[in-house]
Amino acid sequence: MITPFGRLWASACSSNLGDGIALTSFPLIALTAGASPGEVALVTTAATIAWPLCGLHAGWLVDRLSPQLLLTVANGARALMLLGLTAAIACDAFVAPAVMIAALVYGIAETLVDTSLIAGIPRIVPKHQLTGANAKMEATINIANELAGPPLAGFLLGAAGLAAAAVGSGLYALAALAGLSLLVAMRSRSTTAAAEGADPEKPTPRIRDGLRYLWRDRLQRELTVLTAAMSLIWGAWTAMFVLYAVAPGPLGLSTVAYGWVLAAMAVGGIVAAGVIERLQRRVSTTLLLFIDTVGTIGLVLPAALGAPLPVIVAGVVLAGAGSTVWRVIVAVIRQQATPLPLLGRVYSASRVISWGALPLGSALAALAVESLDIETVFLIASAVAGAVCVWFTLRFRSLHTRIAGLEAETSA
């Protein structure tokens, strides 16, 4: 018999494979349809703007309704959206506008799906199994979204943009069906409300409650700000690395080789997700988080110093592994420290702050490269990464005390 977590995992697996295909395909379909470079860039903006604009509302919806219902609706909407794009490509009519609309719908739905997955895990998994469940979910995201999705998109686009859109639509439909299956399974449990700590008389949730709770929780607030600081670096790297790596950039890689470098990052994340529980039994959680801040330096410093390709790849793998460890640990801390009725709003509030720094980092890098060379921009990013490490070092004892206290309280 399939467990509730198995149904949730199946939905995440299918939807994230669809994400990998969609995010890779959207700009390329627009380019093939004759969109200008500015319009192609606007496709990416449409796909990523939803978090700062809609993230808080997504958290409110997850807390007001149910994660499994929203997984069904959001993935169903993405399936229909890609079906419409498939029709536009088949008819060779309004393809560029259809891509833009599809990217916008994708981004809005993504805020609901991501929040629902995080909020859904502690409703169906015991507290002592949260790290393993989150690690499995993170590994699924790395494998489906980052490792398998882009190469599969490239293969499908080689056949036709129609095939990529159609396959993506089918994957989202499967994710919606898995969410529906979970919804039915959860509603069939007579003890669901008690297990979730639900209060039938609870007041209607307010959007600002998530921000208020996040900011009053000292541990979550500080981890969110640290995540935002590192997101500035990741945003700058994302904007600059393709210019640095792909010919005529300094590394001189082909687009295929560049794809393999990105796949190496996903491999680092997959390995990290598989060993994080064992690492936590041997190393303190706070030390693991600190190691990730060091890994962020490895993301940008080798390029700043003009290091050879093997060193740059090693830094990318280390950063990918550290990023996965950070996301899993912070997700568990948030699930342990936040009441279930607030979890969706607290998660989305943290994402608005931390992920909102990604476009800021990329925009600053884009401005800097107009007057500076790429290596100098990477050197500035490395200095910021070093400052984050120093910041974490100064706060290490305080963070360790609060994290250890939360872990002891949860295991009691």
Side-chain angles (χ1 to χ4, degrees):
M1 181 179 178
I2 302 177
T3 64
F5 179 77
R7 299 171 196 269
L8 186 70
W9 176 83
S11 181
C13 185
S14 186
S15 65
N16 273 279
L17 185 55
D19 290 349
I21 294 173
L23 286 175
T24 305
S25 300
F26 285 158
L28 295 176
I29 292 173
L31 190 62
T32 303
S36 68
E39 290 171 333
V40 173
L42 193 57
V43 171
T44 302
T45 302
T48 56
I49 198 65
W51 268 112
L53 294 182
C54 307
L56 293 176
H57 299 277
W60 177 85
L61 284 171
V62 169
D63 288 336
R64 184 73 178 90
L65 302 174
S66 74
Q68 51 270 23
L69 173 63
L70 290 171
L71 284 173
T72 303
V73 173
N75 282 314
R78 293 200 285 192
L80 291 175
M81 166 269 296
L82 277 181
L83 190 61
L85 178 59
T86 303
I89 296 171
C91 297
D92 194 21
F94 307 107
V95 176
V99 172
M100 198 72 69
I101 294 171
L104 186 61
V105 172
Y106 160 84
I108 294 172
E110 186 71 358
T111 65
L112 293 170
V113 170
D114 280 6
T115 306
S116 296
L117 287 174
I118 293 297
I121 290 174
R123 287 173 164 81
I124 57 179
V125 173
K127 284 190 175 183
H128 67 278
Q129 295 179 4
L130 283 176
T131 298
N134 279 280
K136 184 174 182 179
M137 198 66 73
E138 189 65 32
T140 298
I141 293 171
N142 276 289
I143 293 171
N145 197 331
E146 300 174 16
L147 187 63
L152 180 56
F155 171 76
L156 293 170
L157 287 166
L162 178 71
V167 170
S169 177
L171 287 167
Y172 285 132
L174 289 175
L177 288 174
L180 181 61
S181 172
L182 177 61
L183 177 64
V184 172
M186 294 297 286
R187 284 188 173 177
S188 67
R189 290 181 169 188
S190 60
T191 59
T192 297
E196 294 185 1
D199 179 3
E201 302 299 326
K202 69 180 179 180
T204 301
R206 296 174 298 180
I207 292 174
R208 66 177 180 270
D209 290 342
L211 275 172
R212 181 183 292 114
Y213 188 91
L214 174 68
W215 211 248
R216 288 178 176 175
D217 186 316
R218 187 177 177 186
L219 176 58
Q220 292 198 64
R221 180 183 70 224
E222 192 156 359
L223 289 175
T224 298
V225 175
L226 277 165
T227 305
M230 289 192 289
S231 291
L232 283 173
I233 302 159
W234 278 85
W237 181 85
T238 302
M240 301 301 301
F241 188 65
V242 64
L243 301 174
Y244 181 84
V246 177
L251 280 184
L253 301 180
S254 67
T255 54
V256 174
Y258 172 71
W260 281 113
V261 173
L262 297 185
M265 176 181 286
V267 170
I270 293 165
V271 172
V275 301
I276 185 170
E277 286 188 285
R278 279 173 284 177
L279 286 174
Q280 279 193 296
R281 289 194 288 266
R282 293 169 173 80
V283 181
S284 76
T285 299
T286 317
L287 182 58
L288 288 175
L289 290 175
F290 174 72
I291 291 171
D292 177 44
T293 65
V294 177
T296 306
I297 297 178
L299 183 70
V300 287
L301 186 58
L305 300 178
L309 180 60
V311 176
I312 288 176
V313 172
V316 167
V317 172
L318 177 63
S323 176
T324 292
V325 170
W326 183 281
R327 291 199 298 265
V328 170
I329 289 175
V330 172
V332 172
I333 288 173
R334 186 167 295 116
Q335 290 163 352
Q336 291 173 336
T338 307
L340 278 179
L342 273 171
L343 183 55
R345 281 166 290 166
V346 171
Y347 172 78
S348 62
S350 69
R351 276 264 174 133
V352 167
I353 295 170
S354 57
W355 282 43
L358 285 169
L360 177 60
S362 62
L364 290 173
L367 288 173
V369 80
E370 291 294 326
S371 55
L372 303 171
D373 58 71
I374 296 176
E375 289 84 353
T376 302
V377 178
F378 276 125
L379 190 60
I380 294 171
S382 301
V384 175
V388 173
C389 286
V390 172
W391 175 10
F392 198 106
T393 301
L394 294 174
R395 301 295 301 159
F396 189 94
R397 185 181 297 275
S398 175
L399 288 169
H400 178 71
T401 299
R402 282 179 273 139
I403 291 173
L406 177 63
E407 290 176 336
E409 179 184 332
T410 303
S411 60

